[in-house]
Every structure is written in C-alpha cells, then in structure tokens.
Amino acid sequence: MTETPAQLDLWPAPYASGAVDATVTVPGSKSVTNRALVLAALASEPGWLRHPLRSRDTLLMAEALRTMGVGIEEGVGPDGSGERWRVIPAGLHGPATIDVGNAGTVMRFLPPLATLATGPVRFDGDPRSYERPLHGVIDALRALGARIDDEARGALPMTVHGAGALEGGPVEIDASSSSQFVSALLLSAARFNQGVEVRHTGSRLPSMPHIRMTVDMLRAVGAQVDEPETGGEPDVWRVSPSALLGRDLTIEPDLSNAQPFLAAALVTGGRVTIPDWPERTTQPGDALREIFTEMGGSCELTEEGLTFTGTGRVHGIDVDLGEVGELTPGIAAVAALADSPSTLRGVAHLRLHETDRLAALTKEINGLGGDVTETADGLHIRPRPLRGGVFHTYDDHRMATAGSVIGLAVPGVEIENVATTAKTLPDFPQMWTGMLEA
C-alpha cells in the first residue's frame, strides 16, 4: 500500500445533523465514456458522445487518442442540452507518448489500439501505475503478433511498436486480477486481421458486469461478438473482424459514483433521488439497489430516476462482491456504521486497484476506532463506536468518498486529499455539501 505524504491536505468531512433530503444529478459513467471513446476512435465514420464524463480519467483517455491522431471536438449541444464530444477517426500514428495517470482503462484499453498505429507509442503514468498488473494485456498482444518493450516488467512504463495492423486470432490469458484484460482485447479486436478469440484460463473472473458492458457496446457499433451468455463456451469471447460504425451515444449516469449519495440516505435515515437511473444497465452500480435495501433502506425506480430512502437503522450484510468490487469501499463505510457485523467476500483483486483497497480500508476505519479484519478475499467488519480523525485516501477516489460517508455520522473526520475524487467525480466536495444544504 502506498504511503501517504507527511504533509496532508485535509478536508473536514461534513457532519449530518439530520436526515438528508436531496436530488443529486450524477455525471456520466467513466466506464461507458472511456469505452465509447475507444470504439469511436476505431470507427469508420465520426460519432457523437452526449453527456460524457469530464474527469481526470476520461480527459487522459481523450488526450491519449488525440496524441495518436484522433480528432475529438468538445462542445455543448446547439440547444444547450449539455456537453457533447464529436470523435473523428483518423489513421493512428506514432511516435507518441501517452500519460495514463493511474487510470486502469487507459493503461489497459489503449495498448491493443496502439498496435494498429504506425510507429512507436510509449505508455507512462503515475508511480502507482507501475505497480498495477498489465502482464495479461502485454502477453496476449505478443501472442497475437505485437512487438512490445517493457523490459520484462509486465507493467509500465513500456513502448508498443505499432505496425499499422495486428494479425489477431486465438489467445489465452489469465484475467483473474482484472476483467479489464478481457475488455482491452475485445474493444480493438474488430480491427485485427483475424479478429480475436479470448480464452480466460485462470480462476474466477472479477467484475463480469464490465465485460458485459464491453460486449453490449461492441454490438451497438456493429461488431459481431460471441460470448458465454449467448451459447458460447465458458470464459471464451470471440469478436469477428469488421468495420465499426460511428454512433450518437448518450452516456448513462455513473451509478458507482451515485453510491456515496445513496449511502447518505441510508446512514442518516433520509432520502436521495438520482435522476435518469436506467431501467436496464450493465453498470455494476445497479447492484446498490439490492445491497443497500438489504442493509436497511428501500428504493423506488420511476421515470424520474431512483429514489432511495433510509430507515434510520443500518444492518450488517454478508455479501459476495466479486462482480461489483468497485462498490466495496462505500459498502465497507456503511458497514462500519451498522448494528451488526458484515462480511464482504470475493474481492481479493482489490489489492491491485488504485491502492491496496483492502489494506487501506482496514487501516483507516480501524484508525477511527473501528474493528476491521482482512480475510483472504475480503473484509470482516465488526461495528464499534467511531471517533473523529484523519482518513487517508492513498490517491484513491473511492477511499475519499468512503471516508466522507463515515464523516456524515462521526463528527471530526478529516479527509486527506479529497481532490483525488477528480479521477471520476470532479465536483464531489461541492456536490456533497450541496446535498446536505438541500
């Protein structure tokens, strides 16, 4: 786990003196925005993204694509209907240097695309990005015919020597440390000469909803995809070579970023409405409806959106979060305020995320007087009376929002580096205080 600097930038987490009652409009999904950018860059014609997320991760993706020659024009619709980006595909080229920051989608989705460029494309990023696994993508691309220099690290920094094309074909990978390894290969596969057949050979695949999201978005732009859910072999995905269509795509709200606001309703016994919550979605955040209801609330989905109502009591939960691991920090924060113990399972892969999230949550909640124990694949949380103190984020946006949830119920919590929320939710501090003021 990355150490936090001794000199801290502290944000006093607002304490809720009563039940919240607010409507919170959540910006677009990071996962959908960055997949849409990649697919639009590979299309045979221009496309539009409406209501894209503007955050550090998505701006890094857009700038990386521009560096390789893709045109991305940012603006507002003529009727003032919100931000929209026009993506103009072009011949991909190097030499180029791409800053991935600490964005898993950028560091994993773009190397396959870079094999289609003419010339070298170098990938670099934040110090933590050097520690995040990339071997699944690197090894797979080499097996498919790519030349990559990574000095045998299986991680950043590295250079992809694009040849303007990639042969493609069948490949085996172990994606048990990140489902993004599978998505990375599928997103660019229609442009490979033979397409791709990706066979996962490791243990349980985490975050399957994100792979389903990738498949659905590929099909929406005209790709032919065979997957296990549609009669294919277990853990095998096939994408046929084809042209991709430019689309006019409206980005859904980021349901995982709605989590802290729904949690606020739960822990304060209040009510929060998230407009435009989709009736059907592949986003992992949709699981919050069931999880937070089991922890003591209730929800109603209408044409206006999702309204979640807390009862004033929070119950512990025993839940497998293997498919929705990114929700773990927020659920852990709520569990620390519950009236009974919780066990969060199936998330060993979180040790390889923006930080070691299991170690970080254990350390920070216990630092406020909690009783959290790491297990082989998750956390066991026994609620205890908590006290104020510094809640460190380790440059992890979901640690910052988790600490803020605890701060609603515990006076004196200070969040170190709340600005790290800009990774996916740039206006979080203002949205949070606005929710309480409403």
Side-chain angles (χ1 to χ4, degrees):
M1 186 170 61
T2 305
E3 291 296 326
T4 303
Q7 192 166 6
L8 304 179
D9 180 15
L10 302 179
W11 180 66
Y15 175 73
S17 56
V20 302
D21 188 352
T23 296
V24 180
T25 300
V26 177
S29 163
K30 177 204 73 173
S31 297
V32 175
T33 299
N34 274 357
R35 283 167 172 78
L37 281 169
V38 171
L39 292 173
L42 293 170
S44 57
E45 57 194 342
W48 290 95
L49 275 62
R50 300 181 187 272
H51 307 302
L53 174 66
R54 175 180 286 275
S55 72
R56 187 186 186 213
D57 278 18
T58 60
L59 293 176
L60 284 168
M61 179 68 84
E63 185 56 32
L65 292 169
R66 288 189 183 106
T67 300
M68 288 188 283
V70 178
I72 301 177
E73 300 172 353
E74 303 176 26
V76 176
D79 56 355
S81 58
E83 187 162 6
R84 63 179 188 173
W85 296 352
R86 185 169 187 246
V87 182
I88 306 167
L92 301 170
H93 63 77
T97 298
I98 289 174
D99 176 12
V100 309
N102 191 19
T105 51
V106 181
M107 72 178 69
R108 291 164 182 154
F109 291 178
L110 289 189
L113 183 143
T115 67
L116 304 173
T118 54
V121 180
R122 178 173 171 78
F123 290 82
D124 208 336
D126 297 352
R128 172 61 180 173
S129 71
Y130 294 6
E131 302 172 23
R132 300 185 68 181
L134 196 56
H135 55 86
V137 174
I138 294 172
D139 293 347
L141 290 176
R142 283 184 176 138
L144 295 172
R147 184 161 73 90
I148 300 174
D149 292 336
D150 68 334
E151 297 181 1
R153 284 184 299 266
L156 296 179
M158 69 175 189
T159 299
V160 176
H161 294 274
L166 190 70
E167 189 59 24
V171 66
E172 295 186 350
I173 64 170
D174 180 353
S176 53
S177 61
S178 176
S179 69
Q180 289 177 353
F181 294 169
V182 174
S183 289
L185 296 170
L186 299 183
L187 284 168
S188 295
R191 291 283 305 275
F192 299 165
N193 294 342
Q194 298 183 41
V196 81
E197 178 187 279
V198 179
R199 184 180 299 271
H200 167 62
T201 60
S203 56
R204 176 185 177 183
L205 259 174
S207 304
M208 280 296 294
H210 278 127
I211 298 179
R212 288 193 284 270
M213 177 188 294
T214 298
V215 170
D216 283 1
M217 293 184 68
L218 276 163
R219 288 174 175 158
V221 297
Q224 180 181 331
V225 187
D226 297 323
E227 61 171 334
E229 284 80 0
T230 55
E233 297 178 62
D235 290 342
V236 178
W237 293 261
R238 297 181 181 89
V239 179
S240 302
S242 69
L244 299 179
L245 305 173
R247 291 296 196 198
D248 188 333
L249 177 67
T250 299
I251 307 297
E252 296 176 353
D254 193 315
L255 306 188
S256 294
N257 275 342
Q259 181 182 35
F261 304 100
L262 300 180
L266 183 56
V267 303
T268 69
R271 179 177 60 186
V272 168
T273 296
I274 308 294
D276 302 321
W277 193 286
E279 184 175 345
R280 178 190 175 276
T281 180
T282 53
Q283 289 192 59
D286 195 46
L288 290 167
R289 290 194 285 163
E290 179 180 347
I291 294 169
F292 277 173
T293 296
E294 187 175 342
M295 296 187 80
S298 63
C299 63
E300 181 183 12
L301 184 60
T302 67
E303 291 182 356
E304 286 71 38
L306 180 75
T307 297
F308 190 86
T309 305
T311 61
R313 294 191 63 188
V314 180
H315 309 309
I317 191 171
D318 186 330
V319 61
D320 187 328
L321 298 175
E323 292 208 345
V324 294
E326 65 192 46
L327 304 179
T328 302
I331 293 169
V334 172
L337 303 170
D339 59 11
S340 56
S342 294
T343 299
L344 312 184
R345 295 177 283 106
V347 288
H349 61 285
L350 294 188
R351 295 186 170 99
L352 301 171
H353 276 222
E354 281 81 346
T355 188
D356 179 341
R357 284 179 172 164
L358 300 184
L361 287 164
T362 301
K363 185 174 188 297
E364 298 311 313
I365 295 174
N366 288 351
L368 301 181
D371 186 358
V372 181
T373 304
E374 278 193 67
T375 65
D377 71 338
L379 300 172
H380 186 62
I381 302 169
R382 291 164 292 272
R384 296 286 186 270
L386 301 181
R387 58 178 180 268
V390 176
F391 194 94
H392 301 92
T393 65
Y394 310 92
D395 294 324
D396 186 334
H397 57 130
R398 301 210 190 277
M399 288 295 296
T401 54
S404 300
V405 169
I406 293 174
L408 289 174
V410 180
V413 174
E414 295 181 295
I415 310 299
E416 173 266 329
N417 188 22
V418 74
T420 194
T421 53
K423 178 179 173 68
T424 59
L425 198 55
D427 299 325
F428 172 74
Q430 295 80 11
M431 294 172 69
W432 197 245
T433 54
M435 172 191 68
L436 294 173
E437 291 167 358

